[in-house]
Amino acid sequence: MAYSAVYAIDVIAPQAKVFDYVADISRHGEWGMDNMKATAERAGSPAIGMRYKAEGLLMGKVNPSVVTITALDASKHLAFDAEDSNSVFHHDFTFTPDGGGTRVERVVTMSKGPWYNPIMLTVFKGTVVKNYDGALQKAKATLESGS
């Protein structure tokens, strides 16, 4: 049983601004729902292969991980893998102009993990959806406020 979910939101901000904000993995803690902190392993702009040491809360416990950018097409597409000791989740973002703003779509797929992870993600679906939707809502609020 595989796990995949799609989350989307419309942001009233230019596509390049939305992309730049989301592509800066070190800022994900500003809008993530798990108290995430991420630090680039080396200085520089986001690029394919760039890695970040990250940690967030998972079921109330600190969960260290490594985030690696796997795809980047300026203003249009960003993908990264988040790998912890248990699993790998692939996050794929597309950014599309939509009227005066930007449509952001995020597809999250578990590409590696124990057999029971999809069951757990189904059991806790309400919390998972709340966290991912909440993160997009927080990013939207930040971007639309001009911060």
Side-chain angles (χ1 to χ4, degrees):
M1 179 190 312
Y3 172 80
S4 185
V6 179
Y7 304 90
I9 198 162
D10 295 313
V11 179
I12 302 170
Q15 182 179 352
K17 179 180 178 180
V18 176
F19 174 85
D20 289 345
Y21 184 64
V22 174
D24 186 350
I25 305 296
S26 66
R27 294 187 74 183
H28 281 206
E30 295 175 15
W31 52 275
M33 300 297 285
D34 59 359
N35 297 319
M36 181 182 171
K37 294 178 184 86
T39 306
E41 289 184 347
R42 62 175 171 74
S45 299
I48 294 172
M50 191 161 193
R51 293 167 42 105
Y52 299 78
K53 292 184 180 191
E55 66 177 36
L57 294 179
L58 180 64
M59 299 179 70
K61 296 181 181 177
V62 174
N63 183 48
S65 62
V66 174
V67 174
T68 306
I69 295 177
T70 59
L72 188 120
D73 184 2
S75 297
K76 299 176 188 170
H77 181 236
L78 166 72
F80 60 84
D81 288 337
E83 181 172 2
D84 64 16
S85 63
N86 190 40
S87 57
V88 177
F89 281 84
H90 183 72
H91 300 256
D92 194 289
F93 288 84
T94 55
F95 305 85
T96 310
D98 186 24
T102 305
R103 176 84 172 162
V104 180
E105 182 175 279
R106 179 184 201 175
V107 178
V108 181
T109 307
M110 185 182 76
S111 55
K112 176 185 165 194
W115 65 270
Y116 56 82
N117 260 16
I119 296 167
M120 297 299 291
L121 289 164
T122 301
V123 169
F124 294 106
K125 183 177 181 177
T127 300
V128 172
V129 169
K130 180 180 175 185
N131 286 345
Y132 281 117
D133 281 342
L136 287 178
Q137 289 292 336
K138 283 175 71 175
K140 173 184 171 76
T142 299
L143 285 159
E144 290 181 356
S145 74
S147 298

